[in-house]
Every structure is written in structure tokens, then in C-alpha cells.
Amino acid sequence: MATESIQRIWKVASLIPAGRVASYGQVADLAGLPGRARLTSKALGQAPRSLNLPWHRILRSSGQIAFAKGSTHADEQQTRLREEGITINNLRVPMKEFQWQPEMATLVVELDF
């Protein structure tokens, strides 16, 4: 059974819309867990497939894909992001252009932790 912290991370991850990305740290911050970027990574790895979390929309704070170049996960992540219209150059997404900025209603209503 997932801890409350992990469930909060899953909730935030589920809200990232298509065509937008977030960093591991941003997800942790929005889940009320500042400084827990690594927990975000761990939580995504533990998520049941049935949740259908958009894990591919979560990147390092630099916009870089965290998986090794040429790995199955890196290739899948790039494919999924490109299908959503996100630009990727050398495993990096321009965060200024594509980073998710949740609306106030999302912050207040959806992320009530």
C-alpha cells in the first residue's frame, strides 16, 4: 500500500496536462513535499500501471530526460512527448516554453494538501 506522500505525488502527476511538463521537484513541491524530488521519482516507479500516470511529462529541473540516452524508457518518453507537441533537443525540453503552471483553481481545489 502506498504512503500518503506517494499518493499525493501520484495525484499531482495525474494533473499535468498533455503538452506540458513538470520537474520532479515541482511535483514534490505541489504535493506539499518540498525538497523531495527523489521521492517523486521513486513514487512514479511504484505507481500501478492501472493509474495511467503521465510519467513521461516529468523531467529533471533542467528539462532533461532522466533516463540514459538510447534506453527503452528514454526513447518511449521522447516519443510520447513529441506526440504531444513538445520539442526535445538532445534529451532536453525547453522548460520556459513547456513547463506546467497550474491555475489557481487547480492549486486550491485539486491540490488541497
Side-chain angles (χ1 to χ4, degrees), residues 23-37:
S23 71
Y24 291 99
Q26 179 185 5
V27 171
D29 288 349
L30 290 169
L33 303 163
R36 302 297 307 271

Side-chain angles (χ1 to χ4, degrees), residues 7-8 15 17 19 24 29 31 35 43-44 47 57 59 62 71 75 79 90 94 99 104-106 110 112:
Q7 290 178 18
R8 287 161 56 172
L15 297 173
Y24 291 99
D29 288 349
L44 293 173
R57 298 179 188 144
L59 310 165
S62 65
S71 70
D75 291 345
T79 298
N90 199 25
Q99 188 167 21
M104 185 60 70
T106 299
E110 299 283 345
D112 58 350

